[in-house]
Amino acid sequence: MLITISGKAGTGKSTVAKLLSKKLKLKHYSIGDLMRAMAAERGMDLLELNKLAEKNKSIDFELDNKLKELGKTKDNFVVDGRLTAFFIPHADIKVFLKADDKVRAERILRDRIHQERGKSINETLANIKKREESEKSRYKKYYGVDYTDKKLYNFIIDTTKITPAQVVGKIVKFVKTKQKSL
């Protein structure tokens, strides 16, 4: 079983993917973790790395090639990242998480791992928007894809008012429904 989890920053991709992988006893991979590690290695935050990636295609291509390879060589895993459904189109379940912008900013402000945190909700939201604009522009230019296009996914969940555990419950229920139809 291959499950991709996509969505904008602060929708719960990583949290949900980790919980889901434990619940289903599947391996977990995170493109966000890889990107944060790449930024740290360069002494940058994610926004700075995104700005560099606008000028240096090799950054995106390195991450994207790791994702493609994962889809070709591994089985039985959950992976979270923006382009997961695009680069692993044969995944059994392709989930897109969405949430209200203010809620996403609040979550990121509380989460110490996110480097796009600002001093306020408005500053954090501005940082998120800059990063998302940068990523959307690059993905469109490099691959002709908009990762927010709902046609890429077979399950969409609004996480604004529900807990990560509830999101996982909805995905598990969807997985069981899909398995019955096979």
Side-chain angles (χ1 to χ4, degrees), residues 2 20 30 39 46 67 150 159 175:
L2 299 182
L20 183 64
S30 173
L46 283 175
L67 183 55
K150 308 304 186 265
T159 68
V175 167

Coordinates of all heavy atoms in Angstrom, one line a residue, residues 2 20 30 39 46 67 150 159 175:
L2 N 0.7 2.1 -1.0 CA 1.4 3.4 -1.0 C 0.4 4.5 -0.8 O -0.7 4.6 -1.4 CB 2.0 3.6 -2.4 CG 3.0 2.6 -2.9 CD1 3.6 3.0 -4.3 CD2 4.2 2.5 -1.9
L20 N -0.5 8.1 10.8 CA -1.0 7.1 9.9 C -0.1 5.9 9.7 O -0.5 4.8 9.6 CB -1.4 7.8 8.6 CG -2.1 6.9 7.5 CD1 -3.4 6.4 8.0 CD2 -2.2 7.6 6.2
S30 N 9.3 11.7 4.7 CA 8.8 13.1 4.7 C 9.8 14.0 3.9 O 10.9 14.1 4.2 CB 8.8 13.7 6.1 OG 8.5 15.1 6.1
A39 N 18.3 22.6 4.0 CA 18.4 24.0 4.4 C 19.4 24.2 5.5 O 20.3 25.1 5.5 CB 17.1 24.6 4.8
L46 N 14.0 27.7 5.5 CA 13.3 27.2 4.3 C 13.0 28.3 3.3 O 13.0 28.0 2.1 CB 12.0 26.5 4.7 CG 12.1 25.1 5.3 CD1 10.8 24.6 5.8 CD2 12.7 24.1 4.3
L67 N 12.2 11.5 -4.4 CA 10.8 11.1 -4.3 C 10.4 10.1 -5.4 O 9.8 9.1 -5.1 CB 9.9 12.4 -4.4 CG 8.4 12.2 -4.2 CD1 8.0 11.4 -3.0 CD2 7.7 13.5 -4.3
K150 N -7.1 19.6 -7.3 CA -7.8 18.5 -6.7 C -7.9 17.2 -7.5 O -8.1 16.1 -7.0 CB -9.2 18.9 -6.2 CG -9.2 20.2 -5.4 CD -8.4 20.1 -4.1 CE -8.6 21.3 -3.3 NZ -7.6 22.4 -3.4
T159 N -8.8 20.0 7.4 CA -8.3 19.7 8.8 C -8.5 20.9 9.7 O -8.0 20.9 10.9 CB -6.8 19.4 8.8 OG1 -6.0 20.5 8.4 CG2 -6.5 18.2 7.8
V175 N -9.2 4.0 3.4 CA -8.3 2.9 3.0 C -9.1 1.6 3.0 O -9.1 0.8 2.1 CB -7.1 2.8 3.9 CG1 -6.4 1.5 3.7 CG2 -6.1 4.0 3.7

